[in-house]
């Protein structure tokens, strides 16, 4: 089984980290193909970055489709381009935010999200609403560090995240913590030890859900609103997308 | 006052029609600048088309910003790139779907949407949920004609829409009808006459809301999640977006 | 265009202030007719006051109808009698609470309300729920000053409101503030300067929405639940309402 | 124990019928005082009628208060003036719509409402939403007879109601039926026999809830938003309400 | 009238206390039959305890049915086995949590729950959601004392509850307090005096609702999802339940 | 890895079928231990059956815990005893209804459930609400065959299910179908072929989610409301549960 893990931003160090996190939980027969677009923002910290990055996500999906991968993972916590990718791909597509929410809801009655910037909280909240998890999530908490600052993680970073997680645990009754950024994929174990709660990394969660769907022979429903995009002309730079 | 009306698809005939509809309701001192991207799909009929078109929307917003327009309108019923545009622009940005929903809720207790393809219904439903109008909308009804077929509108088209509108009125108690596609901007009056209900075209509604915000001296809150995008490098094709 | 602005309470000073606020944002051709009932409470600070004041609102609507105004505005933050007025009038009717909520949702992802008395918070919360804005409003915050104390506004008043607004901004992520009382119609600019967020006054917002509906040729749907009241006898003091 | 049952409309025949229905279920020691305003509409079939009738409701509450009744019931299915009356009274106040919804939810997982005019459906739907019962009610169904036509009830009327009730039962899984009009207070048994489901009349339900609150020594919380109205001048016709 | 009050745990002291609380509010002609299962946990402090106790509840319902009681009350705040009991019984069945929520919503716009252990809060929250009261309840607050510690109630216990109740009143605007445990049935008056709000005990509330349903001739709808259990073999220990 | 699959009813043929379905999708290293209680109903078709069966589920969980299984699956579509089992077990516990809902939401925007008896629809609807999937599920559709009739499945059975599934697909826009009964575990492929939509069997889905959690090192959060049951005496038949 080959699973394409797409880092929607263009930071190779993060792509590498995400690839390692994915491979670490993949089962023996699963090959992880970590990739990221050549074009786009080095980090995704708002709707604008996300909108531009979505184009890169779709082009990586196209490559993955040509390589006949068995599943695609979108490894940015805003799940950018998820429904567009489900239309465009024939293999299943999983976003790391949805993956983490699903797993968290299987092991707790209430969970919290710890993410990077306050300004991206609304993105997570909109996803929780659309996916149906608003009532299960006690809060989306922010440490207000830029995404790329996660690269230089030290004990202060973990402590900073732990502080938010403890407040969610003690003040709101959260029973599990979701890591709210693909760049946090290597921090789960340390955070879990610091706070005594299970911590869910969306990259790892998405790998297991992707394997699961493949094992079950399930892929995106092609009846209705996620069917292949309707063939039509695209103009200019996107003429190659004409079908 | 200058209002930029962006048709997110690349069909010039539709851009022209939308521009006329906007100008028809603009007040004397308002200049409508209708435009559309050079690159992208000729129509938007799903998440994939929408994701690609969003890039064009943002580039048009950039141009509008350089021309110091007073407001931007995104004239596709999925409001593609709305929050990204609000980050990117300093002037207010209005989507035609939200505009139509707001106006409909001022003149009826319940409204229905009549749109083109069944496969795009989910896009409208997600917007209704995010904006808070789910309970006010009785249904999103589809005539299952492609967007570009609206260009050749004849009496059959109106009758087809009227049939759906009447069912919403009689079976569900809808008191007003929202036109669910920018390409329907010229059909409101005929449909209203056919069914005896007010009909709201989002393009016209958005022009009035844009004028209203400008008059009130209000623009997108730049505190918090719609602040200007954080400056950062963009790679490759999008290097010009680096800030 | 003539817009009737009804102050539902009987305080003439407030009617005057509201009228000025309305005229200040009306466009050149719009005439504002500010009025208030002869009979009823001098301020509206609860359900009881509101219920009595509603009678006055409807009688003012009747007068406005006879004067063939183009739109009616109900300038009390509880939108008293809104749906009754929509039945009774043929021109569109706008409440200042709904107007402010609509405008706030066009320029922020989340807004807060700052109002007078804690005991009226429930009225705003019920409106948010009915209109669909509950998820968009982070909180309704109260300064616990009586409505008429707003007449003697000084710097302390602004600071008192600013304190609540800052908490909504910093603790809850509100990006815009809605003024929760018609009597605050002259305080928007000062509050906005104090807190660095856009502030929406419902009176001003309602004037622009009223102008917008008139421009669009839209009025309350007379099909269904907002149709003209069914003709019937009224007894006693209200015999003159028999139809 | 003395319970005041207020028919908000001015039809004495209906007041009489409601009084009988209330007395029929009151326990031996309970005295029913049925009354209706001298002034106002002969029936309540929309928001306008309801707004006018609310004044009469409050004046009847005032009388009941002077007579030191133990509880007040508002016997119109829109619960007009309910929260205003709770402020104004010191004894508990029950609306017949809320009473019926509460009872129905104790004996079924889902119930339906059968009421008179389609145009009043929105009133019931708004109440269901505000009280929290939206998910428990499968539909509000209308027989499209005017309220006063209920006075001449014959077998056709029951059959007309039964047809709607059967559809709620068979198509939507409703397990109980709520009578959606005070004027239907004498029809419960016949309807129940016709359809084989329990039928809840709000007048009867409200009497039992009123007795219950009195027995429990509970009355409206006077802390917070239902506290006594704030004392203030009322002008003109309503000067007598100044406190 | 005979009402069976089932204490789902096996602590006889608590059964006695609950029986007294029930009898104290029952009207003259009502006989309270307090009982508890012979088998099961001495207190219910989680889903596991509740699941085991449910079996005892159903066996007590069986006994009550054989004694032809007029109504059954389940006197544990999680309403364990409520829908199963409604299937199994022919007389009406009331849970004390639902009873308290219903009564609280008749006398306040918002109420709070004060209960024992934080770990049981989720049970109350799930009930609030299922019954439709989530929006009406400001919070479920816990004093973190075990259920059986309520037996040794002293002034400290009341003060501990009062502290939580005051915070709900002052910080959240709760107008009434619901006692969140059957074992608190004797504490309502003291708590109410301490905090100046009405306090609702579910045992007392359930007795009045049970009397009300009996007076109205209403019982669980036997059409649909609460019909008598389908006859079938039960194996092993439960063979006696075969029908 | 060893996964215990608990059939909550006592029909061995169904246990066998469920075990086969589980083994069919388990990966090579996973051992399926299918079991069912010795005591309880032969099928679960309502709340009463479910309440009795829950005891058996918990006793099977106890056995599984003693055998140190890696995960437990509750293979009845009502997920009976799920939260109690999560308290009681240390390994993760998955219900087949939740498993199917999660998987369905990864491959479609809207799904429908096809189940056996109309009277059990409410159970599924309550689960959808509690888990957050209400908005994603278009309807719960019933074929009104008893659970055990599934044992004699023939082409008529598939056609009967297909008819409901097609209506969900064509009238409601469902993109995937969830099988609403453990006894349907062998029917997914045939139904999928008949209707052209992906079909999700909860037993298979649960196996993959169980494997996933084990791979991720995640189990039920033991902080808060799913912590081990509090130690206490149990009386009578359940004395062996005292801790």
């Amino acid at each position: 089984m080959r699973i394409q893990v797409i880092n929607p931003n263009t930071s190779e160090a993060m792509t590498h980290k995400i690839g390692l996190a994915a491979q670490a939980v993949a089962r023996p027969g699963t090959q992880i193909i970590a990739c990221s677009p050549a074009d786009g923002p080095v980090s995704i910290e708002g709707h604008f970055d996300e909108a531009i990055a979505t184009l890169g996500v779709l082009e990586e999906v196209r490559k993955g489709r040509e390589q006949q991968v068995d599943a695609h993972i979108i490894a940015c916590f805003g799940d950018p381009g998820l429904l567009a990718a489900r239309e465009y791909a024939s293999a299943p597509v999983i976003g790391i935010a949805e993956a983490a929410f699903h797993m968290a809801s299987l092991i707790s009655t209430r969970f919290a999200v710890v993410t990077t910037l306050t300004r991206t909280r609304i993105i997570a909240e909109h996803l929780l609403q659309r996916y149906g998890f608003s009532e299960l999530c006690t809060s989306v908490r922010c440490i207000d560090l830029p995404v790329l600052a996660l690269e230089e993680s030290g004990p202060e970073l973990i402590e900073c995240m732990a502080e938010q997680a403890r407040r969610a645990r003690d003040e709101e009754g959260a029973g599990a913590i979701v890591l709210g950024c693909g760049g946090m994929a290597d921090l789960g174990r340390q955070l879990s030890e610091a706070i005594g709660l299970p911590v869910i990394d969306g990259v790892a969660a998405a790998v297991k859900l992707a394997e699961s769907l493949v094992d079950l022979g399930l892929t995106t429903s092609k009846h209705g609103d996620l069917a292949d995009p309707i063939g039509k002309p695209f103009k200019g730079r996107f003429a190659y997308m004409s079908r």
Side-chain angles (χ1 to χ4, degrees), chain A:
Chain A
M1 192 185 308
R2 291 183 309 149
I3 298 178
Q4 182 192 35
V5 179
I6 304 169
N7 170 21
N9 74 34
T10 54
S11 291
E12 286 171 23
M14 196 176 296
T15 307
H16 184 66
K17 178 164 61 175
I18 288 171
L20 288 179
Q23 195 67 61
V25 299
R27 41 195 228 225
T30 300
Q31 181 190 350
I32 298 297
I33 304 171
C35 60
S36 55
D39 309 314
V42 296
S43 63
I44 299 178
E45 296 169 321
H47 300 92
F48 179 80
D49 295 348
E50 199 176 70
I52 305 300
T54 295
L55 195 71
V57 168
L58 295 175
E59 301 203 330
E60 293 305 306
V61 167
R62 166 190 283 258
K63 288 181 201 160
R65 203 177 54 178
E66 284 165 3
Q67 297 165 30
Q68 296 185 297
V69 300
D70 294 289
H72 311 262
I73 289 172
I74 300 176
C76 169
F77 202 75
D79 292 354
L82 179 60
L83 294 181
R86 284 198 176 132
E87 290 183 2
Y88 200 42
S90 52
V93 185
I94 309 281
I96 66 169
E98 62 171 356
F101 299 152
H102 284 288
M103 288 300 181
S105 72
L106 293 174
I107 59 170
S108 65
T109 61
R110 298 280 189 265
F111 59 84
V113 177
V114 175
T115 186
T116 52
L117 297 180
T118 300
R119 72 173 286 159
T120 64
R121 187 170 55 192
I122 190 72
I123 295 177
E125 289 177 355
H126 282 161
L127 292 181
L128 287 162
Q129 180 189 42
R130 199 172 78 192
Y131 301 155
F133 294 114
S134 293
E135 296 300 308
L136 305 188
C137 180
T138 65
S139 65
V140 179
R141 291 176 163 274
C142 309
I143 55 171
D144 278 316
L145 272 186
V147 169
L148 295 182
L150 298 176
E151 296 309 295
E152 298 146 39
S153 63
E156 302 79 18
L157 174 61
I158 291 293
E159 182 46 35
C160 188
M161 295 168 68
E163 186 190 331
Q164 293 299 323
R166 278 187 209 108
R167 291 187 54 190
R169 180 192 68 192
D170 297 340
E171 297 170 17
E172 303 164 358
I177 299 296
V178 163
L179 296 173
C181 178
M184 293 173 171
D186 55 344
L187 304 176
R189 185 170 2 192
Q190 289 175 79
L191 180 60
S192 181
E193 282 166 8
I195 58 171
L197 294 187
V199 173
I200 295 99
D201 162 44
V203 176
V207 169
K208 305 317 292 183
L209 288 176
E211 289 176 346
S212 296
L213 288 176
V214 174
D215 282 359
L216 293 170
L218 290 173
T219 186
T220 302
S221 174
K222 287 296 170 176
H223 180 89
D225 42 34
L226 298 176
D228 292 344
I230 294 174
K232 68 184 56 172
F234 279 64
K235 292 189 182 165
R237 272 179 295 169
F238 300 114
Y240 68 97
M241 282 176 172
S242 303
R243 291 175 303 274

